[in-house]
Amino acid sequence: MASLRRRTVAPKPRPVSSKSKREDSYTDTCCEECGSGECPSELLLCDKCDCGFHLFCLRPILASVPKGSWFCPSCSDHKKKPKSAYFFARFTICNAVVEPLILVTLTTCTTGFPLVQTKIVDFFRIQRSSEPTQKISPGTDSRKRRKRTSILKVSKKRRKLLAFNPSEDPIRRLEQMASLATALTATGADFRNELTYVPGMAPRSANCAALEHGGMQVLPKEDMETLDLCKNMMERGEWPPLMVVFDPREGFTVEADRFIKDLTIITEYVGDVDYLENRENDDGDSMMTLISAADPSKCLVICPDKRSNIARFINGINNHTPDGKKKQNVKCVRFEVNGECRALLIASRDIRKGERLYYDYNGYEHEYPTEHFV
């Protein structure tokens, strides 16, 4: 079942600042990028120079008119690109396990977040262990091979999900984690690797997969074991081979830092679980459908704006161009796991090192506007 991410319609634009020296009305304002004055409700005015920009002409595209003051690229050029994170590391090796004692310096970026220094092990709540690291052979899963029987099966064999293969270099794994820490801190989010249930939002009891309209596929036991293995590896600091990078056109995005085989579990889509009806006027652009129930009051969404993981930074394809569809290398699938719904991001084909990850934000409802995606 395909994923669904939803972007709310931008609120009406703010009136021209009182400091503006222009005598023409707001309706005469044109976009500095495309030169058009069409779609006035999508025009955003710079609070310094009063120039207009369509939300969809900006790079990265804005989902809605931001709260507070906003400055165009020319007026905020010194804040456009985040500075690099600096790593100061010392490692203790014991029984083939590397325990990082690393400080990450996160410097000012687009959102102006303050200087932060924190240990990676504390940021991601990594469990220290003296057990040897379990290696996973490329292209295989972690389960023991079963003895082959002599019975010929005519039916098509179900393809099993694979666990990710962490980078072998422990320093590189720390750099991958630090890149995610930088992106999360820049967007004001805390790291979480599971769905969270916050008082005042939907309770955990509301996450009932049986409510899904039309039913939901059950995650097989063997795939559940693979998912648990991925979670356990991350808790030990054995990270997926992914790097969060900043692109001036797309914003934060995710690249494969080593070869990823088809059907590999990339990550789980996590965040705060809430009722869809509570988020109708939400200006967030990263909500994911968790349950699409026949009763609208029981529909649930995942909101990763305050608590999330790397899934939040994997970008979407342009559904309106052939080239956009060719970029897709990840799919979002919702499964029933122990009676609850979970959304997994899975490699839909082999992904080479250095390739950026993309998936289709739109499911069967096609509510997410992607015609302006690069």
Side-chain angles (χ1 to χ4, degrees):
M1 186 173 293
S3 66
L4 168 64
R5 282 169 54 131
R6 165 184 165 277
R7 175 176 293 176
T8 55
V9 178
K12 293 182 179 180
R14 302 188 300 273
V16 177
S17 171
S18 59
K19 296 181 181 180
S20 175
K21 298 181 180 181
R22 298 182 181 179
E23 297 181 356
D24 54 331
S25 65
Y26 174 75
T27 54
D28 295 330
T29 302
C30 294
C31 174
E32 298 294 322
E33 293 291 336
C34 68
S36 170
E38 297 181 357
C39 303
S41 63
E42 300 287 330
L43 275 171
L44 178 61
L45 298 183
C46 175
D47 285 308
K48 184 175 182 180
C49 67
D50 285 326
C51 291
F53 295 83
H54 283 122
L55 298 176
F56 48 79
C57 286
L58 292 168
R59 293 295 182 270
I61 298 172
L62 292 183
S64 60
V65 175
K67 297 177 181 178
S69 300
W70 177 83
F71 301 98
C72 69
S74 298
C75 295
S76 61
D77 186 61
H78 63 287
K79 296 181 179 180
K80 181 182 293 186
K81 186 175 181 179
K83 297 180 181 179
S84 301
Y86 297 91
F87 311 100
F88 305 91
R90 184 177 64 210
F91 305 95
T92 301
I93 302 179
C94 180
N95 294 333
V97 173
V98 177
E99 181 178 308
L101 301 175
I102 183 169
L103 291 177
V104 181
T105 302
L106 305 176
T107 52
T108 304
C109 79
T110 50
T111 54
F113 64 92
L115 180 69
V116 176
Q117 290 187 336
T118 181
K119 289 183 179 179
I120 285 291
V121 291
D122 295 333
F123 189 95
F124 292 106
R125 300 176 178 85
I126 295 173
Q127 298 177 356
R128 294 179 173 90
S129 173
S130 60
E131 296 180 359
T133 303
Q134 178 182 1
K135 290 187 178 182
I136 301 177
S137 300
T140 64
D141 58 19
S142 61
R143 295 177 290 271
K144 295 181 179 179
R145 293 183 180 273
R146 294 184 175 182
K147 185 177 180 180
R148 182 176 297 177
T149 62
S150 60
I151 301 175
L152 178 63
K153 294 185 178 180
V154 179
S155 60
K156 184 178 180 180
K157 184 178 180 180
R158 188 187 67 82
R159 302 177 67 190
K160 301 174 183 177
L161 299 183
L162 306 177
F164 59 79
N165 289 313
S167 298
E168 296 176 357
D169 183 1
I171 298 178
R172 189 60 176 175
R173 291 205 302 266
L174 289 170
E175 292 175 347
Q176 294 163 358
M177 288 186 280
S179 72
L180 175 57
T182 301
L184 288 172
T185 307
T187 54
D190 294 329
F191 174 76
R192 291 293 187 277
N193 207 30
E194 65 282 323
L195 295 175
T196 49
Y197 300 89
V198 181
M201 298 186 188
R204 184 163 187 169
S205 59
N207 184 0
C208 179
L211 296 175
E212 176 70 18
H213 182 64
M216 183 176 295
Q217 58 186 319
V218 178
L219 187 67
K221 181 180 179 181
E222 290 181 319
D223 290 342
M224 287 179 59
E225 294 173 355
T226 302
L227 177 60
D228 290 339
L229 172 63
C230 292
K231 296 280 188 177
N232 293 334
M233 286 195 296
M234 293 184 69
E235 290 177 357
R236 298 195 301 264
E238 299 167 34
W239 214 250
L242 304 171
M243 186 73 73
V244 182
V245 298
F246 185 86
D247 184 282
R249 300 180 67 196
E250 299 184 53
F252 287 111
T253 187
V254 179
E255 291 182 353
D257 207 31
R258 72 178 300 178
F259 174 79
I260 299 176
K261 189 173 178 59
D262 184 19
L263 289 181
T264 296
I265 295 177
I266 302 297
T267 187
E268 179 179 358
Y269 202 97
V270 301
D272 296 337
V273 178
D274 201 2
Y275 291 107
L276 175 60
E277 59 184 13
N278 293 343
R279 299 283 177 158
E280 288 296 335
N281 297 318
D282 195 296
D283 60 357
D285 65 343
S286 299
M287 284 188 292
M288 171 77 72
T289 295
L290 182 62
I291 291 181
S292 180
D295 182 353
S297 66
K298 297 182 178 180
C299 292
L300 299 180
V301 290
I302 304 172
C303 309
D305 53 324
K306 295 182 179 179
R307 283 161 283 271
S308 56
N309 61 9
I310 201 167
R312 179 183 181 183
F313 304 108
I314 300 179
N315 287 335
I317 64 169
N318 187 324
N319 299 91
H320 304 273
T321 64
D323 290 339
K325 295 179 180 179
K326 290 179 181 179
K327 291 196 302 183
Q328 182 175 354
N329 49 21
V330 175
K331 60 183 177 182
C332 183
V333 188
R334 291 180 293 149
F335 291 99
E336 177 183 338
V337 180
N338 297 325
E340 298 180 342
C341 179
R342 307 269 287 274
L344 303 183
L345 296 183
I346 302 168
S348 58
R349 59 172 173 81
D350 290 347
I351 305 174
R352 66 182 183 275
K353 180 179 178 180
E355 186 177 354
R356 290 186 178 178
L357 275 57
Y358 295 93
Y359 70 105
D360 190 351
Y361 283 4
N362 285 297
Y364 48 88
E365 295 182 18
H366 300 286
E367 290 187 1
Y368 200 98
T370 64
E371 59 269 18
H372 304 294
F373 281 21
V374 296

